[in-house]
């Protein structure tokens, strides 16, 4: 039965390790067998097949199995990471038109349930060890900062948030994907606002490509949900000071 091995390296924090014939050769070479190679040489020759035969028939069989299993245990799935958040020009214009400053952004809470695994290829995880809710919290804070409305020293209003829904698919219609985000913003004045975003994108057929596209799509999905909240007619009510 033919044996197939594949190895692929990814750069940066996103890496996936699989086996290749050359990797197995290194392990076999490190654990030589005392068996006479002539008894295991296939009719057509071939160094790799000979080494595989020696691997199976040699005396240190269990030792070699242990070596392979130990190295295989070091392999890891990919982690697919969205890009860092960047400001939306439209959202920036909308914020500046509000004309109310001294706004702070407090903690955001995550959804009750969320599965970040993608097609068995690995998890999706925001950059800088952030949670998905912290990514949105920072996105709102960054938008306010660039608009000149953020103040965490002497704020008049503090906004917090909760992700009531968060889910994704990397296989909508086989090669499409989607993010669904339900965000509730809460103000220290007691008012709240709920907005949702259903963001669709092209993912791909191959798991690694689809999961990479899905991770990258989280960024524009968050941009959209933040923009919807700020442009909502009720957003200004969140910024009104309590009487």
């Amino acid at each position: 039965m033919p044996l197939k091995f594949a190895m692929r390296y990814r750069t940066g924090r996103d890496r996936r390790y699989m086996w290749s014939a050359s990797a197995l050769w290194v392990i076999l070479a490190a654990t030589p067998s005392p068996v006479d190679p002539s008894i295991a040489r296939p009719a057509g020759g071939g160094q790799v097949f000979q080494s595989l035969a020696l691997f199976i028939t040699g005396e240190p069989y269990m030792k070699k199995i242990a070596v392979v299993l130990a190295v295989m245990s070091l392999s890891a799935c990919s982690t697919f990471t969205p890009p860092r958040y960047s400001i939306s020009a439209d959202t920036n214009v909308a914020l500046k038109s509000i004309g109310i400053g001294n706004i702070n952004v407090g903690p955001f809470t995550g959804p009750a349930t969320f599965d970040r695994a993608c097609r068995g290829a690995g998890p999706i995880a925001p950059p800088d060890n952030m949670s998905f809710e912290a990514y949105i919290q920072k996105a709102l804070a960054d938008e306010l900062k660039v608009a000149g409305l953020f103040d965490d020293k002497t704020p008049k209003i503090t906004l917090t948030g909760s992700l009531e829904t968060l889910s994704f698919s990397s296989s909508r219609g086989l090669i499409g994907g989607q993010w669904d985000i339900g965000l509730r913003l809460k103000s220290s004045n007691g008012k709240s606002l709920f907005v949702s975003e259903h963001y669709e994108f092209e993912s791909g057929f191959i798991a690694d490509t689809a999961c990479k596209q899905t991770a990258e799509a989280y960024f524009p999905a968050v941009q959209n949900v933040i923009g919807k909240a700020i442009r909502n007619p009720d957003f200004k009510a969140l910024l009104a000071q309590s009487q």
Side-chain angles (χ1 to χ4, degrees):
M1 183 176 186
L3 297 176
K4 296 182 180 179
F5 301 88
M7 174 174 284
R8 181 173 56 81
Y9 291 95
R10 298 178 66 94
T11 59
R13 296 175 58 190
D14 180 11
R15 290 188 177 181
R16 188 178 183 184
Y17 300 92
M18 298 178 67
W19 288 102
S20 70
S22 60
L24 183 59
W25 172 255
V26 171
I27 295 173
L28 297 176
T31 57
S33 170
V35 174
D36 183 356
S38 63
I39 68 173
R41 186 183 303 275
Q47 194 174 36
V48 172
F49 288 103
Q50 177 182 343
S51 299
L52 289 173
L54 289 173
F55 177 79
I56 294 172
T57 60
E59 287 182 8
Y61 173 74
M62 295 306 296
K63 178 181 177 182
K64 293 174 182 179
I65 288 291
V67 170
V68 171
L69 293 177
V71 179
M72 287 180 68
S73 69
L74 299 177
S75 64
C77 292
S78 299
T79 297
F80 303 95
T81 305
R84 290 187 175 96
Y85 187 82
S86 60
I87 304 304
S88 163
D90 291 339
T91 300
N92 183 257
V93 170
L95 275 172
K96 288 180 177 178
S97 69
I98 292 175
I100 301 175
N102 300 98
I103 306 167
N104 189 22
V105 179
F108 279 40
T109 60
T113 60
F114 176 66
D115 183 4
R116 63 180 190 149
C118 182
R119 293 199 191 184
I124 294 178
D128 307 317
N129 295 316
M130 287 190 293
S131 63
F132 286 88
E133 59 269 23
Y135 185 98
I136 299 180
Q137 175 188 347
K138 186 177 185 300
L140 178 58
D142 287 351
E143 294 284 3
L144 291 168
K145 288 175 183 177
V146 174
L149 307 180
F150 183 82
D151 183 359
D152 61 350
K153 305 300 182 184
T154 57
K156 295 177 180 177
I157 289 293
T158 297
L159 300 178
T160 56
S162 61
L163 284 179
E164 296 189 358
T165 58
L166 181 66
S167 64
F168 68 84
S169 171
S170 66
S171 54
R172 174 187 54 82
L174 189 61
I175 59 171
Q178 67 186 50
W179 277 96
D180 288 285
I181 303 173
L183 172 65
R184 183 170 298 279
L185 289 179
K186 305 172 186 177
S187 171
S188 54
N189 68 12
K191 298 184 181 297
S192 68
L193 168 67
F194 179 81
V195 290
S196 62
E197 168 67 9
H198 176 78
Y199 183 78
E200 296 185 354
F201 56 93
E202 293 299 317
S203 57
F205 182 75
I206 304 301
D208 278 7
T209 300
C211 293
K212 180 177 182 292
Q213 294 292 94
T214 301
E216 292 179 353
Y218 185 61
F219 158 58
V222 170
Q223 265 195 341
N224 286 358
V225 78
I226 292 293
K228 283 183 177 181
I230 290 170
R231 289 189 294 271
N232 190 291
D234 296 329
F235 180 73
K236 197 168 184 178
L238 301 183
L239 309 181
Q241 297 184 61
S242 301
Q243 301 297 324

